[in-house]
Amino acid sequence: FSLARKMRPRALLIHGESDNNTPVYISVVLKQIWGDSAQLCLIPQADHCFRTVKANQRVADEVTAYITRLFQ
């Protein structure tokens, strides 16, 4: 996380809680490092690729809301 500590990006971190590829704690630590410049969205029962319709819809909703807030 040394590189992440040198950055302060505006970021939307979306992570499936059932992700077997990338541990959830990675996104949690990035949110802690980046503070208010990052938003963390954990999606229950979603895997790494958000394979369910419900997970895909949640990702779309979160991204749409995030982009809308950026341009208000």
Side-chain angles (χ1 to χ4, degrees):
F1 296 102
S2 60
L3 181 59
R5 287 185 176 87
K6 297 176 184 177
M7 304 167 62
R8 203 52 90 198
R10 277 198 271 183
L12 173 60
L13 304 165
I14 301 177
H15 209 118
E17 289 183 348
S18 297
D19 187 337
N20 291 322
N21 294 16
T22 306
V24 173
Y25 84 86
I26 299 290
S27 290
V28 172
V29 171
L30 288 173
K31 168 60 176 148
Q32 290 171 345
I33 291 170
W34 293 337
D36 291 339
S37 68
Q39 178 183 334
L40 175 60
C41 173
L42 298 176
I43 301 180
Q45 301 174 347
D47 66 5
H48 187 75
C49 295
F50 308 103
R51 295 177 206 266
T52 67
V53 171
K54 186 175 181 179
N56 268 280
Q57 186 60 57
R58 177 78 187 276
V59 169
D61 292 346
E62 292 292 336
V63 170
T64 300
Y66 181 78
I67 291 171
T68 300
R69 284 192 302 276
L70 283 179
F71 292 100
Q72 285 183 338

